[in-house]
Amino acid sequence: MKTYGKKDASITVSLCLAFTAIAVLLLTLAEGARYDGLKADAEDLTNLAAESLCAGYQPFLFERYRMFFLDAGFGQGKWTMKHAEDELRDFFCENTSDGNRRDGIFLYGMHADAQVDGYLLATDGAGTVFAVQAAKTMKKTIGERAAKEIRNRIKQVQKTEQEAENPGEAIDHARKALEGLEEKTQTEDAGDEANLLGQAEPFHREETENPLETLKQLQQQGILTFVMPPGKTVSSKTISVDNCLMKRKCRSGNLKLKDSAGWYERILMQEFIKPLAGSAVSPEETGVLSYGTEYLICGKDSDVSNLKGTVNRLLLLREAVNYLYLQTDQAKQSESLAIAGAIGGALANPAVVAAIHQGILAAWAYVESISDVKGLLAGGKIPLIKSPDSWHTRLSAFSESLAGEYAGEARGFTYENYLDVLLYGKSLKQIAYRSMDLMEKNMQQEKQYAACRMDYMAAGVRIAAEYDAKPVFLGIFGEDRGIWYHFKEQSEYLYEH
């Protein structure tokens, strides 16, 4: 009879223990790698979610102005981020296992939720956000060297205007001198009439046309009748400015501005908006206003009012530099002095004649500025400082000098160049906000965008996302202990050109 002896099983137990330890180690390493993968996925998904949200930029602003903004009002005209967060949830549903049920085990499945916790609005920084994006749009078109040339031209005009004495004051002084002279003459005439026979006849000033009186009559008429080229009508378009951005209490974003708007960005912003807004020389026929650039300067509710305001500013600018030129033209000085002497009369003292003389020069400078603006609106050029050849009006015939056509000169600054000067004299906030006024009202002409507002347009957002995931490998040999991984991520996306 065969018998079986007992075998020693110590090696088999050791191998089992070793295999178990190795398996636990490998599964732990696998779970560690999965954890790192989940964390990396959470970061990538957050960045991708922010980009995906901002890919839904407002289409009208892009198509017409090539500007990128996310409409935080989502076309409803009221502030809400619910739609944005709904879009984020849809995105995560498409990119995690919660919305992508698959056969087998999805090792990187997570549950995600997100919200928009930061945003940067177009109106933030008193228009700096808008200015910076407008500048970035133009940087490929206008380099820093070209922008410097524009700024230097603006500075040249500003400096020349500052060097000129105030012609308005000269006119006021001349009129006061004439009033005093008139009172004196009336007193002397009354005394002369009291003298009876044996006395000499009283002296009477020779009747001479007074350019100051002619100027007063011209100023009482509508200025546009003098400066508009023949056959050119003024636009009758109007808008409401009751709720414009300068009067509106705008919401503020909570993201920090990363860029600033210096002189370069300021010049580029102006050059960006001018052709899109239109002007009296190049009207924007499809816009809510045809003279949008004039609106940037004046902020009035109609093309007529904005053109009048701009023309009056140009008249004052040109009057100052024309008055400065007349101080150097000896022939025109002599002509003016002769008329001043005739108006003052032989009995007028030299101080009175000098005051009348300067008043006449100032009046002549103003009439010449009317002619200048007329030439500019006709598409011509006007030199900053005149010469005898480019001077257009005659002192003895103001009204006749302004009649008929005048196309300006071959050299000098254009209407657009002078608009640059007026624009640069406004604050960045005024130009940026008024630019957005025009964009908003043009956008609202489209039925589907009738409720859109520029102060709800976001130039960037920050989203905060939270992710939850269960371990996979740690629970294979044990019970589910309710262990979850939890990740928090943030991603900021700003529109760049």
Side-chain angles (χ1 to χ4, degrees), residues 133-156:
Q133 188 172 149
K136 289 178 179 177
T137 304
M138 291 297 293
K139 278 186 177 178
K140 293 182 180 179
T141 305
I142 300 178
E144 189 168 347
R145 181 176 178 180
K148 279 184 179 179
E149 292 178 0
I150 296 173
R151 186 181 67 159
N152 290 340
R153 185 168 60 230
I154 292 171
K155 294 293 186 183
Q156 180 186 3

PDB file of all heavy atoms in Angstrom, residues 133-156:
ATOM      1  N   GLN A 133      -8.174  97.180 -27.369  1.00  0.00           N
ATOM      2  CA  GLN A 133      -8.537  96.234 -28.421  1.00  0.00           C
ATOM      3  C   GLN A 133      -8.606  96.907 -29.791  1.00  0.00           C
ATOM      4  O   GLN A 133      -8.172  96.335 -30.795  1.00  0.00           O
ATOM      5  CB  GLN A 133      -9.884  95.556 -28.115  1.00  0.00           C
ATOM      6  CG  GLN A 133     -10.148  94.436 -29.109  1.00  0.00           C
ATOM      7  CD  GLN A 133     -11.351  93.570 -28.789  1.00  0.00           C
ATOM      8  OE1 GLN A 133     -11.992  93.061 -29.688  1.00  0.00           O
ATOM      9  NE2 GLN A 133     -11.646  93.391 -27.516  1.00  0.00           N
ATOM     10  N   ALA A 134      -9.107  98.134 -29.836  1.00  0.00           N
ATOM     11  CA  ALA A 134      -9.127  98.879 -31.097  1.00  0.00           C
ATOM     12  C   ALA A 134      -7.708  99.098 -31.613  1.00  0.00           C
ATOM     13  O   ALA A 134      -7.438  98.976 -32.813  1.00  0.00           O
ATOM     14  CB  ALA A 134      -9.841 100.209 -30.910  1.00  0.00           C
ATOM     15  N   ALA A 135      -6.800  99.409 -30.685  1.00  0.00           N
ATOM     16  CA  ALA A 135      -5.405  99.631 -31.073  1.00  0.00           C
ATOM     17  C   ALA A 135      -4.782  98.352 -31.625  1.00  0.00           C
ATOM     18  O   ALA A 135      -4.053  98.385 -32.621  1.00  0.00           O
ATOM     19  CB  ALA A 135      -4.612 100.146 -29.882  1.00  0.00           C
ATOM     20  N   LYS A 136      -5.057  97.228 -30.984  1.00  0.00           N
ATOM     21  CA  LYS A 136      -4.504  95.963 -31.466  1.00  0.00           C
ATOM     22  C   LYS A 136      -5.021  95.627 -32.860  1.00  0.00           C
ATOM     23  O   LYS A 136      -4.305  95.025 -33.673  1.00  0.00           O
ATOM     24  CB  LYS A 136      -4.842  94.843 -30.488  1.00  0.00           C
ATOM     25  CG  LYS A 136      -4.077  94.919 -29.176  1.00  0.00           C
ATOM     26  CD  LYS A 136      -4.481  93.808 -28.218  1.00  0.00           C
ATOM     27  CE  LYS A 136      -3.680  93.896 -26.920  1.00  0.00           C
ATOM     28  NZ  LYS A 136      -4.087  92.866 -25.938  1.00  0.00           N
ATOM     29  N   THR A 137      -6.246  96.033 -33.141  1.00  0.00           N
ATOM     30  CA  THR A 137      -6.810  95.805 -34.466  1.00  0.00           C
ATOM     31  C   THR A 137      -6.054  96.601 -35.521  1.00  0.00           C
ATOM     32  O   THR A 137      -5.940  96.166 -36.673  1.00  0.00           O
ATOM     33  CB  THR A 137      -8.298  96.213 -34.480  1.00  0.00           C
ATOM     34  OG1 THR A 137      -8.991  95.491 -33.463  1.00  0.00           O
ATOM     35  CG2 THR A 137      -8.947  95.922 -35.808  1.00  0.00           C
ATOM     36  N   MET A 138      -5.513  97.773 -35.129  1.00  0.00           N
ATOM     37  CA  MET A 138      -4.879  98.678 -36.098  1.00  0.00           C
ATOM     38  C   MET A 138      -3.365  98.554 -36.176  1.00  0.00           C
ATOM     39  O   MET A 138      -2.751  99.130 -37.068  1.00  0.00           O
ATOM     40  CB  MET A 138      -5.231 100.123 -35.738  1.00  0.00           C
ATOM     41  CG  MET A 138      -6.686 100.485 -35.962  1.00  0.00           C
ATOM     42  SD  MET A 138      -7.181 100.364 -37.694  1.00  0.00           S
ATOM     43  CE  MET A 138      -6.224 101.691 -38.412  1.00  0.00           C
ATOM     44  N   LYS A 139      -2.754  97.802 -35.260  1.00  0.00           N
ATOM     45  CA  LYS A 139      -1.290  97.793 -35.199  1.00  0.00           C
ATOM     46  C   LYS A 139      -0.640  97.223 -36.458  1.00  0.00           C
ATOM     47  O   LYS A 139       0.472  97.605 -36.815  1.00  0.00           O
ATOM     48  CB  LYS A 139      -0.823  97.020 -33.966  1.00  0.00           C
ATOM     49  CG  LYS A 139      -0.858  97.870 -32.704  1.00  0.00           C
ATOM     50  CD  LYS A 139      -0.266  97.172 -31.502  1.00  0.00           C
ATOM     51  CE  LYS A 139      -0.260  98.089 -30.289  1.00  0.00           C
ATOM     52  NZ  LYS A 139       0.273  97.427 -29.082  1.00  0.00           N
ATOM     53  N   LYS A 140      -1.337  96.318 -37.135  1.00  0.00           N
ATOM     54  CA  LYS A 140      -0.783  95.767 -38.374  1.00  0.00           C
ATOM     55  C   LYS A 140      -0.906  96.756 -39.526  1.00  0.00           C
ATOM     56  O   LYS A 140      -0.228  96.622 -40.539  1.00  0.00           O
ATOM     57  CB  LYS A 140      -1.506  94.462 -38.720  1.00  0.00           C
ATOM     58  CG  LYS A 140      -1.232  93.336 -37.744  1.00  0.00           C
ATOM     59  CD  LYS A 140      -1.950  92.058 -38.168  1.00  0.00           C
ATOM     60  CE  LYS A 140      -1.679  90.927 -37.183  1.00  0.00           C
ATOM     61  NZ  LYS A 140      -2.385  89.678 -37.559  1.00  0.00           N
ATOM     62  N   THR A 141      -1.791  97.744 -39.363  1.00  0.00           N
ATOM     63  CA  THR A 141      -2.012  98.733 -40.424  1.00  0.00           C
ATOM     64  C   THR A 141      -1.173  99.980 -40.226  1.00  0.00           C
ATOM     65  O   THR A 141      -0.617 100.529 -41.181  1.00  0.00           O
ATOM     66  CB  THR A 141      -3.514  99.128 -40.466  1.00  0.00           C
ATOM     67  OG1 THR A 141      -4.303  97.943 -40.622  1.00  0.00           O
ATOM     68  CG2 THR A 141      -3.791 100.070 -41.617  1.00  0.00           C
ATOM     69  N   ILE A 142      -1.088 100.448 -38.978  1.00  0.00           N
ATOM     70  CA  ILE A 142      -0.349 101.674 -38.669  1.00  0.00           C
ATOM     71  C   ILE A 142       0.733 101.359 -37.652  1.00  0.00           C
ATOM     72  O   ILE A 142       0.438 101.016 -36.506  1.00  0.00           O
ATOM     73  CB  ILE A 142      -1.295 102.758 -38.115  1.00  0.00           C
ATOM     74  CG1 ILE A 142      -2.376 103.090 -39.146  1.00  0.00           C
ATOM     75  CG2 ILE A 142      -0.520 104.008 -37.742  1.00  0.00           C
ATOM     76  CD1 ILE A 142      -3.380 104.110 -38.664  1.00  0.00           C
ATOM     77  N   GLY A 143       1.953 101.466 -38.069  1.00  0.00           N
ATOM     78  CA  GLY A 143       3.074 101.217 -37.170  1.00  0.00           C
ATOM     79  C   GLY A 143       3.335 102.415 -36.270  1.00  0.00           C
ATOM     80  O   GLY A 143       2.727 103.486 -36.419  1.00  0.00           O
ATOM     81  N   GLU A 144       4.260 102.242 -35.352  1.00  0.00           N
ATOM     82  CA  GLU A 144       4.549 103.308 -34.386  1.00  0.00           C
ATOM     83  C   GLU A 144       5.110 104.543 -35.073  1.00  0.00           C
ATOM     84  O   GLU A 144       4.824 105.674 -34.673  1.00  0.00           O
ATOM     85  CB  GLU A 144       5.521 102.795 -33.323  1.00  0.00           C
ATOM     86  CG  GLU A 144       5.705 103.763 -32.171  1.00  0.00           C
ATOM     87  CD  GLU A 144       6.440 103.148 -30.994  1.00  0.00           C
ATOM     88  OE1 GLU A 144       6.584 101.909 -30.973  1.00  0.00           O
ATOM     89  OE2 GLU A 144       6.863 103.906 -30.108  1.00  0.00           O
ATOM     90  N   ARG A 145       5.890 104.338 -36.130  1.00  0.00           N
ATOM     91  CA  ARG A 145       6.468 105.492 -36.835  1.00  0.00           C
ATOM     92  C   ARG A 145       5.374 106.346 -37.483  1.00  0.00           C
ATOM     93  O   ARG A 145       5.392 107.572 -37.377  1.00  0.00           O
ATOM     94  CB  ARG A 145       7.452 105.004 -37.893  1.00  0.00           C
ATOM     95  CG  ARG A 145       8.133 106.115 -38.668  1.00  0.00           C
ATOM     96  CD  ARG A 145       9.161 105.557 -39.632  1.00  0.00           C
ATOM     97  NE  ARG A 145       9.792 106.610 -40.405  1.00  0.00           N
ATOM     98  CZ  ARG A 145      10.723 106.399 -41.320  1.00  0.00           C
ATOM     99  NH1 ARG A 145      11.159 105.166 -41.546  1.00  0.00           N
ATOM    100  NH2 ARG A 145      11.244 107.409 -41.997  1.00  0.00           N
ATOM    101  N   ALA A 146       4.418 105.686 -38.143  1.00  0.00           N
ATOM    102  CA  ALA A 146       3.316 106.418 -38.772  1.00  0.00           C
ATOM    103  C   ALA A 146       2.458 107.100 -37.717  1.00  0.00           C
ATOM    104  O   ALA A 146       1.984 108.233 -37.913  1.00  0.00           O
ATOM    105  CB  ALA A 146       2.467 105.467 -39.611  1.00  0.00           C
ATOM    106  N   ALA A 147       2.244 106.435 -36.584  1.00  0.00           N
ATOM    107  CA  ALA A 147       1.459 107.035 -35.506  1.00  0.00           C
ATOM    108  C   ALA A 147       2.166 108.270 -34.941  1.00  0.00           C
ATOM    109  O   ALA A 147       1.514 109.262 -34.577  1.00  0.00           O
ATOM    110  CB  ALA A 147       1.218 106.007 -34.406  1.00  0.00           C
ATOM    111  N   LYS A 148       3.496 108.224 -34.864  1.00  0.00           N
ATOM    112  CA  LYS A 148       4.251 109.385 -34.380  1.00  0.00           C
ATOM    113  C   LYS A 148       4.079 110.579 -35.314  1.00  0.00           C
ATOM    114  O   LYS A 148       3.998 111.725 -34.862  1.00  0.00           O
ATOM    115  CB  LYS A 148       5.734 109.029 -34.259  1.00  0.00           C
ATOM    116  CG  LYS A 148       6.089 108.287 -32.990  1.00  0.00           C
ATOM    117  CD  LYS A 148       7.588 108.055 -32.896  1.00  0.00           C
ATOM    118  CE  LYS A 148       7.948 107.336 -31.597  1.00  0.00           C
ATOM    119  NZ  LYS A 148       9.408 107.074 -31.499  1.00  0.00           N
ATOM    120  N   GLU A 149       4.022 110.313 -36.605  1.00  0.00           N
ATOM    121  CA  GLU A 149       3.818 111.402 -37.567  1.00  0.00           C
ATOM    122  C   GLU A 149       2.462 112.064 -37.349  1.00  0.00           C
ATOM    123  O   GLU A 149       2.333 113.292 -37.429  1.00  0.00           O
ATOM    124  CB  GLU A 149       3.938 110.867 -38.990  1.00  0.00           C
ATOM    125  CG  GLU A 149       5.345 110.429 -39.366  1.00  0.00           C
ATOM    126  CD  GLU A 149       5.414 109.861 -40.773  1.00  0.00           C
ATOM    127  OE1 GLU A 149       4.360 109.814 -41.451  1.00  0.00           O
ATOM    128  OE2 GLU A 149       6.517 109.472 -41.213  1.00  0.00           O
ATOM    129  N   ILE A 150       1.441 111.252 -37.085  1.00  0.00           N
ATOM    130  CA  ILE A 150       0.115 111.800 -36.813  1.00  0.00           C
ATOM    131  C   ILE A 150       0.140 112.630 -35.534  1.00  0.00           C
ATOM    132  O   ILE A 150      -0.390 113.744 -35.485  1.00  0.00           O
ATOM    133  CB  ILE A 150      -0.922 110.668 -36.697  1.00  0.00           C
ATOM    134  CG1 ILE A 150      -1.067 109.930 -38.034  1.00  0.00           C
ATOM    135  CG2 ILE A 150      -2.276 111.213 -36.239  1.00  0.00           C
ATOM    136  CD1 ILE A 150      -1.933 108.693 -37.967  1.00  0.00           C
ATOM    137  N   ARG A 151       0.780 112.086 -34.492  1.00  0.00           N
ATOM    138  CA  ARG A 151       0.840 112.828 -33.230  1.00  0.00           C
ATOM    139  C   ARG A 151       1.636 114.115 -33.388  1.00  0.00           C
ATOM    140  O   ARG A 151       1.244 115.163 -32.844  1.00  0.00           O
ATOM    141  CB  ARG A 151       1.464 111.963 -32.133  1.00  0.00           C
ATOM    142  CG  ARG A 151       1.418 112.631 -30.765  1.00  0.00           C
ATOM    143  CD  ARG A 151       2.056 111.801 -29.685  1.00  0.00           C
ATOM    144  NE  ARG A 151       3.492 111.651 -29.859  1.00  0.00           N
ATOM    145  CZ  ARG A 151       4.342 111.324 -28.892  1.00  0.00           C
ATOM    146  NH1 ARG A 151       3.892 111.096 -27.671  1.00  0.00           N
ATOM    147  NH2 ARG A 151       5.626 111.188 -29.120  1.00  0.00           N
ATOM    148  N   ASN A 152       2.737 114.078 -34.116  1.00  0.00           N
ATOM    149  CA  ASN A 152       3.546 115.287 -34.321  1.00  0.00           C
ATOM    150  C   ASN A 152       2.751 116.364 -35.056  1.00  0.00           C
ATOM    151  O   ASN A 152       2.886 117.558 -34.752  1.00  0.00           O
ATOM    152  CB  ASN A 152       4.816 114.944 -35.094  1.00  0.00           C
ATOM    153  CG  ASN A 152       5.795 114.115 -34.279  1.00  0.00           C
ATOM    154  OD1 ASN A 152       5.715 114.090 -33.050  1.00  0.00           O
ATOM    155  ND2 ASN A 152       6.702 113.432 -34.946  1.00  0.00           N
ATOM    156  N   ARG A 153       1.938 115.934 -36.013  1.00  0.00           N
ATOM    157  CA  ARG A 153       1.105 116.892 -36.734  1.00  0.00           C
ATOM    158  C   ARG A 153       0.087 117.533 -35.791  1.00  0.00           C
ATOM    159  O   ARG A 153      -0.158 118.733 -35.836  1.00  0.00           O
ATOM    160  CB  ARG A 153       0.396 116.184 -37.896  1.00  0.00           C
ATOM    161  CG  ARG A 153      -0.404 117.108 -38.781  1.00  0.00           C
ATOM    162  CD  ARG A 153      -0.839 116.399 -40.058  1.00  0.00           C
ATOM    163  NE  ARG A 153      -1.661 115.245 -39.764  1.00  0.00           N
ATOM    164  CZ  ARG A 153      -1.467 114.032 -40.271  1.00  0.00           C
ATOM    165  NH1 ARG A 153      -0.448 113.810 -41.091  1.00  0.00           N
ATOM    166  NH2 ARG A 153      -2.273 113.035 -39.977  1.00  0.00           N
ATOM    167  N   ILE A 154      -0.490 116.708 -34.928  1.00  0.00           N
ATOM    168  CA  ILE A 154      -1.451 117.221 -33.945  1.00  0.00           C
ATOM    169  C   ILE A 154      -0.761 118.213 -33.006  1.00  0.00           C
ATOM    170  O   ILE A 154      -1.288 119.302 -32.734  1.00  0.00           O
ATOM    171  CB  ILE A 154      -2.063 116.058 -33.150  1.00  0.00           C
ATOM    172  CG1 ILE A 154      -2.958 115.203 -34.053  1.00  0.00           C
ATOM    173  CG2 ILE A 154      -2.861 116.578 -31.957  1.00  0.00           C
ATOM    174  CD1 ILE A 154      -3.432 113.923 -33.399  1.00  0.00           C
ATOM    175  N   LYS A 155       0.412 117.835 -32.511  1.00  0.00           N
ATOM    176  CA  LYS A 155       1.149 118.706 -31.581  1.00  0.00           C
ATOM    177  C   LYS A 155       1.537 120.023 -32.252  1.00  0.00           C
ATOM    178  O   LYS A 155       1.542 121.080 -31.610  1.00  0.00           O
ATOM    179  CB  LYS A 155       2.405 117.978 -31.089  1.00  0.00           C
ATOM    180  CG  LYS A 155       2.125 116.749 -30.234  1.00  0.00           C
ATOM    181  CD  LYS A 155       1.499 117.104 -28.911  1.00  0.00           C
ATOM    182  CE  LYS A 155       1.351 115.902 -28.007  1.00  0.00           C
ATOM    183  NZ  LYS A 155       0.675 116.233 -26.734  1.00  0.00           N
ATOM    184  N   GLN A 156       1.866 119.949 -33.545  1.00  0.00           N
ATOM    185  CA  GLN A 156       2.235 121.163 -34.276  1.00  0.00           C
ATOM    186  C   GLN A 156       1.067 122.142 -34.335  1.00  0.00           C
ATOM    187  O   GLN A 156       1.237 123.344 -34.098  1.00  0.00           O
ATOM    188  CB  GLN A 156       2.670 120.792 -35.702  1.00  0.00           C
ATOM    189  CG  GLN A 156       3.078 121.987 -36.554  1.00  0.00           C
ATOM    190  CD  GLN A 156       3.362 121.596 -37.994  1.00  0.00           C
ATOM    191  OE1 GLN A 156       3.201 120.442 -38.394  1.00  0.00           O
ATOM    192  NE2 GLN A 156       3.766 122.567 -38.802  1.00  0.00           N
TER     193      GLN A 156
END
